């Protein structure tokens, strides 16, 4: 019995020594000390021990049990401690490590310019109007004095949904929406997307942006138009910049002009950017055609007005000397990032 006991004790202690994780200790505990364990088995075998020796043997078994229990407990504590340390080590954070860079977005250069244009005109007392991009032929053409079969329709390759519905080819129809719903004095601008069935190249896109302007009041003259556009040009490109009017034709204005802005790069001396002319064409404008006023419910004997329209891409490209319009649409961050 004694030998069996010390064999169990020694075997268990030796095994305990080599154990490296808490789960294995649990196994050992069950196998030796558990209800069906080796030591309990010995206790059951007490029947074969002489009655006078039973207390001594019982005492011995209990001693071994105590010894083993303490040894197991100590080992358990030790292992738990090392396992905790290991876990802590694995979870350490190096607080001196630099953080991951957060990529900051940029407002698209064209929208920066659009905001600037709006700011300039709002500063002159204009309010921002809005109109639908899916438009009726009636507004896009008829009310702009471009009747069916008018040659001006050919100049704008239109996306039609059907005979009456189309994607607006310019922001000018917003003029009609405003005149039909507001009473003069009117002073609005309208930035927005416009559509034309053009092939994509360096200067064309089927979708682009315009900003329209409309002023209607008693006694508005071409001088007001010129003054407004000069002020606009100076605010956009700086002092020393003015505009030049060239006679032109638009069905919705009479008289009409194409407006050039003095080249901001050479201040009018002539350079590569303005192709030596000193001026760069940026917009169309004119006095609102009395026919348009009439169709839109405004009495042309009482009121006059001016209108203008410009391409936002064009203004942006001139401002930043961008040679290819496609760069504005590709959204390559390497391009966009340059306009922070
Ligand atoms: N709507 C014209 C276009 O798309 C631009 C324009 C010219 C607008 C003269 C105007 C204007 O308001 O008066 O080409």
């Amino acid at each position: 019995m004694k030998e069996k006991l010390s064999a169990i004790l020694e075997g268990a202690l030796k095994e305990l020594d080599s154990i490296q994780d808490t789960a294995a200790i649990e196994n050992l505990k069950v196998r030796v000390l558990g209800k069906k364990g080796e030591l309990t088995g010995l206790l059951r075998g007490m029947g074969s021990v002489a009655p006078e020796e039973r207390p001594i043997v019982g005492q011995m078994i209990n001693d071994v049990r105590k010894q083993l229990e303490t040894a197991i407990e100590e080992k358990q504590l030790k292992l738990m401690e090392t396992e905790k340390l290991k876990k802590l080590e694995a979870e350490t954070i190096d607080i001196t490590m630099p953080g991951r860079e957060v990529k900051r977005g940029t407002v698209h250069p064209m929208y920066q310019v659009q905001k600037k244009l709006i700011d300039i005109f709002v500063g002159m007392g204009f309010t921002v109007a809005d109109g639908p991009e899916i438009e009726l032929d009636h507004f896009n053409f008829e009310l702009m004095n471009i009747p069916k079969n008018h040659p001006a329709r050919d100049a704008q390759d239109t996306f039609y949904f059907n005979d009456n519905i189309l994607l607006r080819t310019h922001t000018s129809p917003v003029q009609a929406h405003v005149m039909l719903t507001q009473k003069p004095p009117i002073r609005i601008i309208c930035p927005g997307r416009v559509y034309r069935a053009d092939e994509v190249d360096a200067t064309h896109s089927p979708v682009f942006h315009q900003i329209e302007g409309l002023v209607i009041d008693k006694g508005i003259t071409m001088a007001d138009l010129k003054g407004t556009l000069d002020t606009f040009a100076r605010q956009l490109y700086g002092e020393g910049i003015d505009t030049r009017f060239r006679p032109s034709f638009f069905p919705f204005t009479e008289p009409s002009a194409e407006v050039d802005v003095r080249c901001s790069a050479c201040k009018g001396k002539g350079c590569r950017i303005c192709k030596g002319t000193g001026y760069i064409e940026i917009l169309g404008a004119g006095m609102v055609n009395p026919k348009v006023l009439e169709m839109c419910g405004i009495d042309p004997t009482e009121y006059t007005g001016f209108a203008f329209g410009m391409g936002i891409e064009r203004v942006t490209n001139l401002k930043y000397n961008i040679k290819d319009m496609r760069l504005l649409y590709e959204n390559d961050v390497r391009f966009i990032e340059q306009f922070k």
Side-chain angles (χ1 to χ4, degrees):
M1 186 60 109
K2 249 188 190 168
E3 273 115 58
K4 269 194 198 159
L5 255 181
S6 53
I8 290 175
L9 180 62
E10 259 166 49
L13 287 177
K14 212 168 156 193
E15 198 176 327
L16 198 59
D17 230 19
S18 61
I19 280 178
Q20 289 305 334
D21 63 292
T22 44
I25 291 195
E26 255 340 283
N27 283 339
L28 177 72
K29 214 167 148 183
V30 172
R31 213 184 67 227
V32 182
L33 305 175
K35 270 190 189 142
K36 290 179 183 157
E38 292 166 15
L39 269 188
T40 328
L42 278 189
L43 272 176
R44 289 215 185 88
M46 285 283 267
S48 59
V49 176
E52 62 277 18
E53 287 195 6
R54 278 180 200 162
I56 305 164
V57 175
Q59 182 68 42
M60 273 161 56
I61 294 178
N62 273 341
D63 283 350
V64 168
R65 173 179 284 277
K66 277 219 182 87
Q67 263 188 64
L68 274 177
E69 275 172 355
T70 346
I72 284 175
E73 209 169 301
E74 272 170 13
K75 178 84 183 195
Q76 233 164 1
L77 283 176
K78 225 163 128 190
L79 275 184
M80 267 158 65
E81 192 60 29
T82 43
E83 274 172 17
K84 192 164 113 193
L85 282 176
K86 251 195 223 155
K87 203 169 156 211
L88 281 178
E89 217 164 273
E91 283 174 0
T92 46
I93 308 165
D94 179 0
I95 55 164
T96 65
M97 221 156 79
R100 257 182 230 134
E101 189 196 356
V102 178
K103 276 265 178 192
R104 283 261 207 112
T106 327
V107 177
H108 192 285
M110 201 170 63
Y111 283 103
Q112 292 183 34
V113 169
Q114 176 171 309
K115 185 173 180 299
K116 174 92 184 156
L117 297 180
I118 292 173
D119 282 351
I120 292 173
F121 284 108
V122 166
M124 287 193 268
F126 285 71
T127 52
V128 177
D130 203 6
E133 289 176 21
I134 296 173
E135 188 53 283
L136 294 173
D137 182 287
H138 184 63
F139 279 87
N140 195 79
F141 291 125
E142 301 283 336
L143 290 179
M144 289 296 106
N145 197 30
I146 312 174
K148 292 228 157 55
N149 304 320
H150 191 288
R153 289 204 179 201
D154 298 338
Q156 304 188 350
D157 287 319
T158 310
F159 288 114
Y160 283 96
F161 292 97
N162 57 37
D163 280 353
N164 297 320
I165 302 173
L166 45 80
L167 285 172
R168 69 177 179 196
T169 59
H170 50 179
T171 42
S172 300
V174 182
Q175 291 187 29
H177 287 289
V178 171
M179 286 188 267
L180 286 165
T181 52
Q182 294 179 25
K183 284 199 159 56
I186 289 170
R187 215 186 286 153
I188 58 103
I189 49 162
C190 167
R193 264 193 290 262
V194 299
Y195 302 83
R196 286 182 202 178
D198 281 326
E199 291 293 330
V200 175
D201 65 26
T203 55
H204 291 88
S205 161
V207 189
F208 59 104
H209 298 71
Q210 288 187 334
I211 189 162
E212 190 80 14
L214 175 71
V215 171
I216 294 175
D217 203 351
K218 287 180 179 155
I220 295 289
T221 69
M222 200 102 175
D224 297 308
L225 172 59
K226 173 88 172 151
T228 303
L229 292 179
D230 275 351
T231 307
F232 153 75
R234 272 197 301 279
Q235 293 204 17
L236 186 64
Y237 294 109
E239 285 305 317
I241 299 298
D242 57 4
T243 59
R244 181 175 77 176
F245 282 40
R246 279 179 292 106
S248 184
F249 173 80
F250 298 104
F252 31 91
T253 44
E254 184 56 40
S256 302
E258 272 177 315
V259 179
D260 303 337
V261 168
R262 192 187 289 270
C263 176
S264 59
C266 64
K267 300 271 186 288
K269 285 195 201 78
C271 68
R272 222 161 33 88
I273 292 173
C274 58
K275 299 197 183 82
T277 62
Y279 282 87
I280 291 169
E281 188 207 320
I282 67 160
L283 58 89
M287 299 306 291
V288 180
N289 193 319
K291 260 175 146 173
V292 171
L293 289 176
E294 209 170 331
M295 281 190 282
C296 294
I298 290 174
D299 182 356
T301 61
E302 199 180 344
Y303 292 102
T304 52
F306 67 75
F308 58 87
M310 72 186 108
I312 302 178
E313 279 82 350
R314 187 163 170 73
V315 179
T316 307
N317 289 354
L318 285 173
K319 186 170 164 68
Y320 295 116
N321 199 11
I322 298 166
K323 296 269 166 25
D324 192 326
M325 190 177 188
R326 284 169 287 199
L327 287 166
L328 293 176
Y329 305 124
E330 282 163 0
N331 283 337
D332 185 330
V333 281
R334 291 167 300 180
F335 171 75
I336 309 264
E337 261 175 359
Q338 298 173 45
F339 303 93
K340 270 187 187 158

